[in-house]
């Protein structure tokens, strides 16, 4: 009887051990399967990213390797607001100019302009680069061709080019500087809202929209605007020279049609991209050298945009528009 009971106990213990071994083996197998799937999906994501990266970089790589074997007119777009965080920013435009100049088959450059203006700093950077290129490559013509509008910061840039071509109905000029904002003092009084503001520095809250304007601060900011305006005027005079007519309203911030702009010497002649490439530069074949922002750069730029936008609001208040 005792032997029979011992055998039953041993059989029970053996059964439990077998079950535990099977459970442990199943767990190990499941972990191994999960690791394989994890590696598989990670590899798949990596491969996907590689394909995307290749699709966006391969055309530029091939362009750099092969280039355009024919003589051509390089076209560079200056379209939209000119600002560091926009497509029309100094870095992109300057890179486009350098790539066009570097290409030995480039026989002339057209700046295709359609912009209301923007940052005076960004415009100045491009203006200086164009002047530098003209000095280093005097035989390479750089022309601006205006479509709808070339105003303020855009005209700042255009004035550095050899000639400016417009359509009769184009809008051009606006040689001035502005800084705009709002005042909510009366609204706060009507609503019974009290402004509580603490600063370290007498003028730290200068032009605060919820406080009454101070005469000395307004005068100071007007002085800054006048300085930038004089810089703008000096750049236009240096670029356009004797072509500018002696008109009192020339630097008043007014904008003119292309037809009137030619009469005032703000522009030189009428023509579009095709006309300038074929009849003026003498090379009908056009190649777009506009720097295109890469997808990954665009995504990365968005990550810090929210915080940067808040910090940069004050700096962007001044513009050539």
């Amino acid at each position: 009887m005792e032997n029979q009971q011992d055998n039953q106990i041993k059989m029970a213990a053996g059964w439990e051990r077998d079950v535990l071994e099977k459970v442990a083996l199943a767990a190990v197998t499941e972990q191994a399967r999960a690791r394989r799937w994890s590696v598989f999906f990670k590899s798949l994501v990596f491969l996907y990213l590689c394909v995307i990266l290749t699709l966006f970089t391969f055309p530029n790589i091939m362009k750099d390797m092969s280039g355009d074997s024919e003589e051509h007119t390089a076209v560079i777009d200056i379209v939209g607001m000119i600002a560091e965080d926009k497509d029309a920013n100094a870095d992109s435009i300057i890179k486009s100019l350098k790539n066009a100049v570097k290409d030995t088959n480039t026989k002339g450059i057209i700046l295709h302009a359609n912009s209301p203006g923007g940052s005076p700093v960004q415009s100045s950077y491009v203006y200086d680069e164009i002047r530098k290129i003209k000095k280093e490559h005097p035989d390479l013509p750089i022309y601006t061709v205006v479509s709808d509008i070339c105003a303020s910061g855009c005209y700042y840039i255009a004035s550095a080019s050899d000639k400016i071509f417009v359509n009769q109905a184009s809008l051009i000029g606006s040689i001035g500087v502005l800084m705009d904002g709002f005042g909510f003092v009366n609204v706060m009084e009507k609503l019974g809202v009290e402004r509580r503001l603490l600063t370290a520095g007498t003028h730290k809250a200068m032009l605060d929209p919820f406080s009454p304007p101070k005469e000395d601060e307004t005068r100071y900011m007007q002085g800054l605007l006048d300085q930038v305006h004089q810089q703008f005027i000096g750049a236009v005079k240096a670029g356009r020279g004797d072509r500018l007519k002696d008109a009192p309203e020339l630097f008043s911030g007014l904008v003119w049609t292309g037809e009137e702009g030619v009469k005032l010497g703000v522009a030189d002649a009428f023509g579009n991209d095709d006309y300038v490439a074929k009849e003026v530069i003498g090379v009908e074949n056009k190649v777009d050298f506009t720097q295109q922002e890469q997808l990954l750069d665009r995504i990365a730029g968005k990550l810090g945009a929210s915080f940067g936008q808040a910090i940069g609001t004050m700096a962007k208040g001044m513009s050539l528009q």
Side-chain angles (χ1 to χ4, degrees):
M1 180 67 68
E2 291 181 359
N3 291 335
Q4 186 176 1
Q5 289 178 349
D6 291 341
N7 291 333
Q8 290 177 350
I9 292 172
K10 291 178 180 180
M11 290 177 61
W15 177 81
E16 292 175 353
R17 186 167 52 252
D18 291 341
V19 171
L20 290 174
E21 289 177 353
K22 290 180 180 179
V23 170
L25 181 61
V28 171
T29 303
E30 185 63 27
Q31 289 178 355
R33 184 181 296 112
R35 282 196 297 269
R36 287 196 296 270
W37 279 108
S38 176
V39 171
F40 172 75
F41 281 115
K42 288 178 180 178
S43 301
L44 192 62
V45 171
F46 178 75
L47 181 61
Y48 174 77
L49 291 176
C50 288
V51 171
I52 294 296
L53 184 62
T54 301
L55 289 176
F56 279 91
T57 58
F58 184 74
N60 289 334
I61 293 174
M62 291 303 296
K63 182 178 179 180
D64 292 338
M65 291 177 62
S66 60
D68 194 302
S69 58
E70 298 181 28
E71 292 185 347
H72 55 253
T73 295
V75 179
I76 298 172
D77 289 339
I78 303 177
V79 176
M81 184 66 67
I82 300 170
E84 190 169 14
D85 59 349
K86 301 296 183 181
D87 290 338
N89 63 80
D91 186 54
S92 295
I93 298 172
I94 290 173
K95 285 182 180 177
S96 303
L97 284 166
K98 289 182 176 179
N99 289 336
V101 172
K102 184 173 62 175
D103 193 317
T104 57
N105 290 309
T106 297
K107 300 306 174 184
I109 298 175
I110 289 176
L111 302 177
H112 177 83
N114 189 13
S115 168
S119 164
V121 176
Q122 297 290 303
S123 302
S124 179
Y125 286 157
V126 181
Y127 175 94
D128 291 341
E129 181 64 26
I130 294 173
R131 300 276 289 182
K132 178 183 175 183
I133 291 172
K134 288 175 60 177
K135 184 177 181 180
E136 296 175 350
H137 304 273
D139 296 329
L140 182 65
I142 301 178
Y143 301 124
T144 297
V145 177
V146 180
S147 55
D148 296 311
I149 184 170
C150 177
S152 279
C154 183
Y155 187 75
Y156 195 138
I157 294 172
S159 64
S161 59
D162 294 300
K163 287 186 178 181
I164 300 176
F165 293 84
V166 294
N167 181 273
Q168 287 85 344
S170 298
L171 296 179
I172 190 168
S174 186
I175 305 172
V177 187
L178 67 82
M179 175 179 285
D180 55 3
F182 296 93
F184 300 99
V185 178
N186 293 335
V187 175
M188 292 173 62
E189 291 176 354
K190 291 180 180 180
L191 294 176
V193 178
E194 180 185 356
R195 172 67 161 162
R196 296 175 180 177
L197 177 66
L198 300 176
T199 64
T202 306
H203 302 291
K204 187 61 179 177
M206 185 166 52
L207 300 184
D208 173 57
F210 301 103
S211 302
K214 298 179 181 179
E215 184 178 348
D216 59 336
E217 293 181 348
T218 301
R219 188 166 55 249
Y220 177 80
M221 292 307 300
Q222 184 61 54
L224 290 182
L225 293 176
D226 291 340
Q227 288 182 41
V228 176
H229 190 206
Q230 289 303 315
Q231 294 168 6
F232 191 178
I233 293 172
V236 172
K237 287 183 175 180
R240 299 294 297 166
D242 296 336
R243 289 173 289 183
L244 293 172
K245 299 297 187 286
D246 187 13
E249 71 274 16
L250 200 61
F251 304 114
S252 66
L254 287 176
V255 63
W256 301 279
T257 63
E259 184 175 5
E260 187 66 20
V262 171
K263 294 178 182 178
L264 290 171
V266 176
D268 295 285
F270 305 115
N272 57 19
D273 291 352
D274 292 336
Y275 170 82
V276 174
K278 182 178 180 180
E279 303 298 336
V280 182
I281 297 176
V283 181
E284 186 175 5
N285 179 35
K286 300 191 301 296
V287 176
D288 187 0
F289 275 80
T290 307
Q291 185 79 13
Q292 300 295 332
E293 185 179 18
Q294 297 298 325
L295 176 65
L296 295 181
D297 293 336
R298 187 181 294 273
I299 294 173
K302 295 296 183 183
L303 296 179
S306 298
F307 180 74
Q309 183 177 6
I311 298 298
T313 299
M314 181 64 182
K316 292 179 183 177
M318 184 185 298
S319 62
L320 300 180
Q321 295 183 30

